[in-house]
Amino acid sequence: MSTTYSVASSLDGFVAAPGDDLDWLLQFGFEPFQEHHDRFFAGVGALVMGSTTYEWLLAHDDTWAYPDLPTWVFTTRELPVPDGAEVHFVSGSVADHQSVLERAAGERDVWVVGGGLLAAQYQQAGLLDELRVTVMPIALGAGAPLLPVAAPTPVFELVGTTPFVGGAVELHYRSTPAAGETDPHSVGQDARTDA
């Protein structure tokens, strides 16, 4: 079980163009990534996202994309809940809610869907186990940053790379422990390239 931020990013480190526009990403389609995403998604037991991501999903999908998974949305506003969705609205520190998400996920992973600000809070709280960034072959120049942390992070460990048709590459990183801590995930693991 891990807490994983899995996201697509531009070459220059943005997950959305100005105005939360994702047209730059949607132009690539989903077919090259479907099988890889399905393998990742099969291991997900709970979702967490910020309100901007949640509202984008509501605006761009006719039906809720994740009807079988409990979802936590960090927000201070009242937002609608689509039919068939199990959505919990929370606020405050990500650490305050992590144990509930982990219990809901069971043996599976917690997926930090987005955005970058929420993922940065997970990283800064020491709760982000893995980072899966699919780097797209395009630069945006501005937008919502991938991981806007307030201070330098420890060095992430690269545990896999996956190239896709069309020039995108997923970089799979694992968080490394702070000085003096032991990371149980890293025992016996070597960096590798996923097929």
Side-chain angles (χ1 to χ4, degrees):
M1 184 269 162
S2 66
T3 297
T4 302
Y5 178 35
S6 179
V7 67
S9 171
S10 66
L11 282 170
D12 51 348
F14 297 106
V15 297
D20 299 317
D21 178 21
L22 290 182
D23 288 347
W24 67 273
L25 176 60
L26 298 177
Q27 69 177 318
F28 293 97
F30 205 67
E31 186 175 347
F33 314 99
Q34 187 70 57
E35 184 178 343
H36 187 74
H37 174 77
D38 289 348
R39 283 197 302 271
F40 164 73
F41 190 69
V44 173
L47 308 174
V48 60
M49 64 186 72
S51 59
T52 299
T53 300
Y54 179 70
E55 289 181 292
W56 190 95
L57 288 169
L58 292 182
H60 291 84
D61 286 328
D62 293 333
T63 58
W64 180 238
Y66 309 109
D68 300 323
L69 290 176
T71 301
W72 277 258
V73 178
F74 276 82
T75 184
T76 56
R77 297 175 289 129
E78 288 190 17
L79 297 170
V81 177
D83 293 338
E86 180 188 340
V87 178
H88 308 272
F89 298 112
V90 294
S91 60
S93 167
V94 295
D96 293 342
H97 307 283
Q98 184 67 3
S99 62
V100 175
L101 270 81
E102 289 179 355
R103 280 197 302 274
E107 298 293 317
R108 296 190 291 169
D109 296 340
V110 174
W111 178 16
V112 182
V113 181
L117 286 169
L118 182 64
Q121 291 175 45
Y122 269 88
Q123 192 284 320
Q124 291 168 325
L127 296 173
L128 187 64
D129 299 311
E130 296 189 0
L131 179 61
R132 290 175 172 261
V133 182
T134 301
V135 180
M136 308 303 292
I138 187 173
L140 300 179
L146 170 67
L147 196 66
V149 293
T153 69
V155 175
F156 289 90
E157 175 193 6
L158 181 68
V159 294
T161 61
T162 305
F164 298 100
V165 172
V169 179
E170 183 194 68
L171 304 174
H172 181 187
Y173 292 101
R174 184 169 293 137
S175 293
T176 55
E181 294 180 5
T182 301
D183 180 2
H185 297 300
S186 66
V187 176
Q189 295 291 322
D190 294 318
R192 59 184 167 77
T193 300
D194 294 330

